[in-house]
Amino acid sequence: MSKENLNPKEIAQAQIKAACDQLNADPSIYEVLKEPAKVMQVSVPVKMDDGSVRTFVGYRSQHNIALGPAKGGLRYHPDVHLDEVIALSMWMTIKCAVVGLPYGGGKGGVVVDPKELSQNELEKLSRGFIRALGDFVSPQKDIPAPDVNTNPQIMAWMMDEYDQIKGFNNPGLITGKQVQLYGSLGRTEATGRGTFIAAREAAERIGLPLEGARVVMQGFGNVSTYAALLFHEAGSKIIAVRDYYGGAYNPDGMDAQELYDYVYNNPENTRKTVVGFPGSEDIESNDALFAIDCEILVPAALENMITSANAHTVSTKIISEGANGPITPEADKILEEKGVLIVPDVLANAGGVTVSYFEWVQNLQNFYWTLEEVNARLERILVDAFEEIYTMKEEKGVSMRVAAYMKAIDAIAYNMKMRGTI
Ligand code: NAD
């Protein structure tokens, strides 16, 4: 069993510290960034369908708002804990700055297994959570979005609850809404599209053709499905995918659209899993998944999946981090030594928050863009950010992760300095 520190907050602190050290930054910068600016903990009592009452604990962390209002998702998961929420908000601060958005970092979560709740209970919990947060969130202050196990329907309930409290429409409160309900075209696909773009840019830098490249993915949810469709379109071979229930492996490659239909347009597949996809074999564990020889690996499930215990067996050229924090710092070192080019989460999954930003801008202006406009703006922002970070990596001789943190911390520090915080 590995003894490495898997506390996500301490990992985020170490990552920020490493970049501050590399920048020779004024110590006051780390002193401010090592803790979240504000954290709210709430208890949400829900009257369940059977008449009993259950209380759910929820959190919202606003890490730093030097660059703009806090922005970040809301997660529903039984393992949600305060340090995780804080770490995720710290990564959001960095991520928004990496792609140059006028946002700070926020994140929230509720300790719940939504699979155990009826739709009615889920709606009550979602409305109760936003009521409990009250004025802690607002379109000017802190703008939530979907994350693990939350979706546009949950965002719609939350927006509606907030509108009822305020007495007028506030579409800019929350992003990731349905397109028909003030959402943005291209938002659903945006994170996966960004993860694909990150891998594509990385492949170009190392002279790897995407056509025929073997891709292994962890998770087949919002992020990985859309990335898989784009890899497939580019002629890459999706040879392995593993989700919560098990995996699908086919060395000849799997058709991403067929896999998508098998999981999501198949009433018989009640667990929405890739397991049993025709022509594929199961993959017994995540360790076995990561050991599959490939050119591009996309971890897009949860954090701390690639650790010092399994990093040695990873056999890939590029990792595009669809998930937040999927690689531990110890594993990072091992992979760097192996020469794997890692596009860090703060860049590789920033497509989601970028189009969330577009959604918010459209909401505030009440003026909506075409899909082509959304995708073209997303492409430009991500390609420019990639180029800037890759160049910094080359010039400073650091990893892309450290380079990304350096770019972000530089921008945040400048604003904090001008504001007089430091
Ligand atoms: P999702 O709930 O849609 O999908 C998660 C996938 O991971 C599912 O296929 C699930 O079965 C799988 N999974 C869960 N636990 C697993 C395990 N132990 N082993 C293997 N697979 C497992 O979530 P998502 O929205 O795709 O988010 C995935 C990751 O991407 C998270 O880290 C999230 O924070 C990050 N992310 C998401 C977005 C977004 O816009 N959705 C944006 C940025 C970052």
Side-chain angles (χ1 to χ4, degrees):
M1 194 54 197
S2 155
K3 288 208 177 58
E4 73 187 291
N5 181 2
L6 298 183
N7 179 295
K9 182 180 169 193
E10 287 168 20
I11 290 174
Q13 285 173 329
Q15 288 165 337
I16 291 176
K17 182 78 170 61
C20 286
D21 290 348
Q22 192 70 37
L23 282 166
N24 267 329
D26 183 327
S28 59
I29 296 167
Y30 180 69
E31 192 58 25
V32 177
L33 294 180
K34 71 181 186 189
E35 291 295 336
K38 289 184 190 176
V39 174
M40 174 90 140
Q41 175 175 334
V42 297
S43 300
V44 187
V46 173
K47 199 172 275 181
M48 308 296 279
D49 293 346
D50 66 4
S52 65
V53 173
R54 267 183 73 187
T55 294
F56 297 91
V57 172
Y59 306 100
R60 183 78 189 168
S61 165
Q62 296 167 1
H63 172 241
N64 181 278
I65 56 165
L67 295 181
K71 184 87 190 83
L74 292 173
R75 174 176 291 200
Y76 284 2
H77 198 279
D79 298 338
V80 161
H81 59 96
L82 185 55
D83 277 358
E84 178 193 58
V85 171
I86 290 173
L88 290 163
S89 74
M90 294 166 89
W91 287 321
M92 285 307 296
T93 301
I94 302 295
K95 193 182 303 183
C96 292
V98 160
V99 282
L101 305 180
Y103 282 142
K107 202 79 176 194
V110 177
V111 187
V112 58
D113 183 354
K115 291 194 276 301
E116 290 173 357
L117 266 52
S118 69
Q119 276 293 98
N120 180 41
E121 291 162 347
L122 195 61
E123 178 174 350
K124 283 187 187 167
L125 171 65
S126 304
R127 289 182 182 277
F129 183 47
I130 211 76
R131 249 190 343 264
L133 288 178
D135 279 336
F136 198 69
V137 293
S138 85
Q140 293 77 29
K141 236 192 273 184
D142 182 357
I143 305 123
D147 191 67
V148 175
N149 292 331
T150 57
N151 55 34
Q153 175 61 78
I154 291 173
M155 300 302 110
W157 288 327
M158 290 182 171
M159 180 191 71
D160 180 70
E161 191 65 25
Y162 188 83
D163 286 354
Q164 289 191 33
I165 296 166
K166 294 288 165 188
F168 55 92
N169 281 7
N170 295 273
L173 169 76
I174 205 157
T175 59
K177 307 178 293 292
Q178 287 98 336
V179 172
Q180 300 86 333
L181 193 72
Y182 311 107
S184 176
L185 291 164
R187 171 61 187 90
T188 309
E189 311 89 305
T191 309
R193 179 174 284 275
T195 304
F196 166 77
I197 291 171
R200 185 197 67 201
E201 294 298 302
E204 199 191 301
R205 297 307 188 285
I206 64 164
L208 171 77
L210 273 192
E211 173 105 41
R214 293 165 303 160
V215 179
V216 168
M217 308 184 95
Q218 188 191 35
F220 202 63
N222 178 268
V223 177
S224 33
T225 50
Y226 294 105
L229 290 166
L230 289 165
F231 277 117
H232 189 68
E233 212 177 285
S236 310
K237 275 205 296 192
I238 316 281
I239 59 166
V241 180
R242 191 168 193 280
D243 61 27
Y244 178 77
Y245 300 100
Y249 172 64
N250 182 340
D252 297 328
M254 297 176 282
D255 183 308
Q257 185 62 52
E258 283 175 16
L259 188 60
Y260 183 91
D261 290 339
Y262 174 77
V263 175
Y264 291 104
N265 294 327
N266 175 4
E268 282 169 27
N269 191 346
T270 49
R271 297 185 305 173
K272 307 259 172 271
T273 174
V274 298
V275 176
F277 180 63
S280 75
E281 286 166 35
D282 196 1
I283 304 160
E284 63 172 1
S285 65
N286 284 322
D287 289 351
L289 175 85
F290 295 135
I292 294 172
D293 187 44
C294 62
E295 280 75 44
I296 300 173
L297 174 62
V298 180
L302 292 172
E303 58 267 18
N304 293 337
M305 287 290 171
I306 303 180
T307 66
S308 56
N310 58 17
H312 290 286
T313 61
V314 169
S315 176
T316 188
K317 293 190 164 69
I318 291 170
I319 297 181
S320 183
E321 291 187 326
N324 288 310
I327 302 177
T328 65
E330 287 291 311
D332 227 15
K333 281 187 216 140
I334 296 167
L335 295 167
E336 282 288 323
E337 276 162 23
K338 286 169 80 120
V340 178
L341 177 57
I342 301 172
V343 189
D345 48 6
V346 289
L347 175 59
N349 69 33
V353 71
T354 303
V355 177
S356 270
Y357 164 63
F358 296 163
E359 180 177 337
W360 181 73
V361 168
Q362 292 171 78
N363 292 154
L364 297 186
Q365 297 183 337
N366 219 348
F367 178 69
Y368 290 83
W369 308 348
T370 63
L371 181 60
E372 290 69 31
E373 284 172 302
V374 169
N375 284 343
R377 287 184 160 116
L378 173 65
E379 170 85 18
R380 202 181 59 228
I381 286 180
L382 293 181
V383 168
D384 287 354
F386 189 101
E387 173 59 22
E388 208 178 322
I389 289 162
Y390 192 81
T391 304
M392 191 183 285
K393 157 195 146 51
E394 296 282 284
E395 283 175 7
K396 308 272 183 203
V398 294
S399 67
M400 279 196 84
R401 192 184 313 282
V402 171
Y405 275 65
M406 286 167 71
K407 169 179 170 1
I409 287 167
D410 212 29
I412 297 161
Y414 181 85
N415 277 26
M416 290 202 302
K417 194 126 198 130
M418 287 300 114
R419 285 168 178 274
T421 314
I422 54 171

